[in-house]
Amino acid sequence: MGRSPFTLAAAVTAALPGAEVTGARSLSADGEGRFDSAVASLADGRELAIRVADDDETARELAAEAIALRALTDGARAMLPFRVPAYIGETRIGDGRALVTELLPGFQIEAPLVPPGRGAAQSMGASIAAVHGLPTSVVRGAGLATRTAEESRAELERLVDTAAATGRVPARLTVRWRDAVADDSLWRFESTVVLGGVQSTSFLFEDDPELGPEVVGLLGWHGLSVGDPALDLSWLSAAPDAAADVHAAYAGAIDRAPDAGLEVRARLLAELEFARWLVHGDSMHRPDIVDDAAALLDALAEGLRTDDLSIIDARTAGVDSALDALDRVPRGAVTEVDTSMHTDAYNPEELWIEVPEESDSAQTNTESMEPLRTVGTDRDHDDSAHRTEMLNVETEDLSEARSIFAGTHTADVGEATRPAAASAASAAAAYDEDDSDEAQRAARAALQRWKSSSSE
């Protein structure tokens, strides 16, 4: 790693014969150092992104991205209301695999800063729906992975069982997740084309004078597959202000029968990122990762009010302060883990659930339950507060949750896969504030170790 932009720019001439490179610079962001990356300027005015992978994991990712971008024909791209990076070519730099793609303009917005209402939230929901509306032949024709609802369900069941077998998952979480997997009503969905784990920074925006930020590009296509549409909405646990509007825009734009369990499955997938991190640490025989994941799972479990952990019942309930204790998750790993996050950073300090004053005991099934709505803290939604600095980078903000549906075995999940989770639980029992404070302190301590390692 550590190649100069000029060295990387030389790869363009190998991937695109005849190209005249007139300049090179570093990317404004490059996946937290997971790739050597640069931008090459061409004489014809185009700008191209070059990324080089030096290990097997990132090389597989670049290979998958290349296949996905080539699978998106002109006809498929014409069906999308935004741009997708064009595939330019591939080559090798030394022992590393290099992928050259078109560089798209636009700015990005971190999940906790996505504002509600029209503009960014609505555009994001409609954009996800557009991806899910692509014909599955786009994926099948390229030989990419497909998962039926039952196959997706079975993958999650195996993940829950594998995590529980470590002996480090609190019983209440195991019961909660198994109840969700066993609930037939959650798994009556039609598999769609999915990106395999959209993040807020997958979207590139430009300002519309009347509508506000509008999606003009979408990045991160390496997980393209057919699977559970909830996979591309699980990141909304990190966007408390905008979640309801993104879901509403998605529901209004999708051209298929309503999916009653979509929001609940999305939340379940977010919670299971904790389990995925635990399973990875156990499979790698890394007690430091296992201990870190177990501490986060304990904090998650402490934040639940009662032992009734049914996902369906949780739709009308709240999340206690253990989740609030999980501070902004960096894209780094735990102490002494030399890898980086694939999942989007989030701020669980704002993941509060509005708890109803009363709960109708007769409401026990999906038909009688209202969806969860996350409520964030007040913030100034001025455009300058919600956009990141203009990025001229094809940022890869990745979610290894895609491995469930894209055919990757859970044991292969990279150490970069830390949770971006939010949960809900029933609100029938009293809550001990002292225990809550203790859970918060424990979770913050675990995550501080994590933050420190990511900055090294």
Side-chain angles (χ1 to χ4, degrees):
M1 290 287 203
R3 303 176 182 89
S4 73
F6 296 100
T7 300
L8 296 176
V12 173
T13 58
L16 184 63
E20 183 180 350
V21 179
T22 59
R25 69 180 189 276
S26 298
L27 288 174
S28 300
D30 60 359
E32 296 293 333
R34 296 176 53 249
F35 303 96
D36 274 348
S37 55
V39 176
S41 301
L42 304 186
D44 61 9
R46 285 184 295 169
E47 289 192 322
L48 306 179
I50 308 103
R51 284 170 292 162
V52 181
D54 283 321
D55 59 63
D56 291 342
E57 182 185 349
T58 51
R60 284 193 297 268
E61 186 176 303
L62 289 187
E65 179 97 353
I67 293 172
L69 293 181
R70 296 172 71 179
L72 293 169
T73 62
D74 290 343
R77 290 168 184 258
M79 299 175 65
L80 300 172
F82 48 77
R83 294 176 63 187
V84 176
Y87 170 86
I88 302 299
E90 297 170 83
T91 186
R92 299 195 73 83
I93 298 181
D95 294 330
R97 182 190 190 108
L99 174 64
V100 181
T101 62
E102 176 188 18
L103 184 72
L104 299 182
F107 62 88
Q108 297 162 299
I109 305 176
E110 293 289 341
L113 302 180
V114 178
R118 69 176 188 172
Q122 292 183 352
S123 185
M124 292 166 104
S127 297
I128 296 172
V131 173
H132 293 182
L134 288 172
T136 58
S137 58
V138 170
V139 170
R140 299 180 192 278
L144 297 172
T146 63
R147 286 288 184 274
T148 65
E150 280 305 310
E151 287 171 337
S152 297
R153 183 184 191 177
E155 290 282 0
L156 287 183
E157 184 175 24
R158 286 192 288 272
L159 173 61
V160 172
D161 288 345
T162 303
T166 67
R168 301 301 297 272
V169 180
R172 59 173 57 187
L173 292 181
T174 302
V175 171
R176 173 184 178 84
W177 296 337
R178 282 177 172 161
D179 283 350
V181 172
D183 189 339
D184 292 339
S185 67
L186 290 182
W187 305 97
R188 295 169 184 154
F189 66 86
E190 180 181 354
S191 292
T192 67
V193 173
V194 295
L195 274 81
V198 175
Q199 299 295 318
S200 65
T201 47
S202 301
F203 300 91
L204 294 174
F205 296 90
E206 287 185 359
D207 270 328
D208 183 290
E210 296 182 356
L211 300 177
E214 290 288 299
V215 175
V216 295
L218 190 54
L219 309 176
W221 291 80
H222 60 277
L224 185 66
S225 59
V226 172
D228 185 352
L231 192 57
D232 287 342
L233 292 160
S234 60
W235 67 274
L236 285 171
S237 62
D241 294 339
D245 290 313
V246 174
H247 275 295
Y250 174 88
I254 197 70
D255 186 20
R256 64 183 67 247
D259 181 352
L262 180 68
E263 293 183 43
V264 176
R265 292 199 315 279
R267 186 172 295 278
L268 173 65
L269 287 168
E271 290 186 26
L272 285 173
E273 285 301 290
F274 288 96
R276 197 177 305 284
W277 181 236
L278 174 67
V279 168
H280 171 69
D282 186 64
S283 68
M284 296 294 293
H285 305 290
R286 291 287 301 271
D288 55 334
I289 297 176
V290 170
D291 290 344
D292 183 72
L296 295 172
L297 287 165
D298 287 341
L300 176 62
E302 285 296 324
L304 303 174
R305 287 186 180 274
T306 73
D307 290 333
D308 182 5
L309 303 178
S310 166
I311 293 287
I312 296 303
D313 288 345
R315 288 176 141 185
T316 57
V319 173
D320 288 321
S321 56
L323 279 179
D324 174 55
L326 302 178
D327 211 345
R328 177 179 292 276
V329 176
R331 296 181 200 173
V334 294
T335 304
E336 301 180 355
V337 177
D338 185 18
T339 184
S340 57
M341 277 294 291
H342 293 195
T343 52
D344 185 34
Y346 74 106
N347 187 355
E349 198 159 313
E350 299 184 351
L351 294 183
W352 290 99
I353 302 297
E354 190 172 30
V355 183
E357 294 182 359
E358 297 181 0
S359 176
D360 188 346
S361 60
Q363 293 181 326
T364 56
N365 295 314
T366 4
E367 297 82 1
S368 60
M369 292 298 170
E370 302 248 341
L372 287 165
R373 286 199 58 173
T374 50
V375 179
T377 56
D378 293 337
R379 63 172 79 246
D380 181 4
H381 290 296
D382 185 86
D383 286 345
S384 63
H386 292 299
R387 72 178 64 185
T388 62
E389 180 180 354
M390 178 74 75
L391 297 179
N392 53 2
V393 50
E394 213 174 320
T395 304
E396 291 291 347
D397 192 323
L398 312 175
S399 172
E400 290 286 349
R402 63 183 171 84
S403 62
I404 294 179
F405 307 99
T408 303
H409 193 278
T410 53
D412 296 329
V413 176
E415 293 182 3
T417 311
R418 287 302 305 264
S423 72
S426 297
Y431 183 73
D432 187 329
E433 290 296 334
D434 291 336
D435 289 344
S436 170
D437 291 343
E438 186 62 29
Q440 293 186 43
R441 287 193 291 272
R444 283 199 173 96
L447 285 174
Q448 187 57 49
R449 297 195 304 275
W450 183 4
K451 289 180 179 179
S452 298
S453 67
S454 68
S455 62
E456 293 176 352

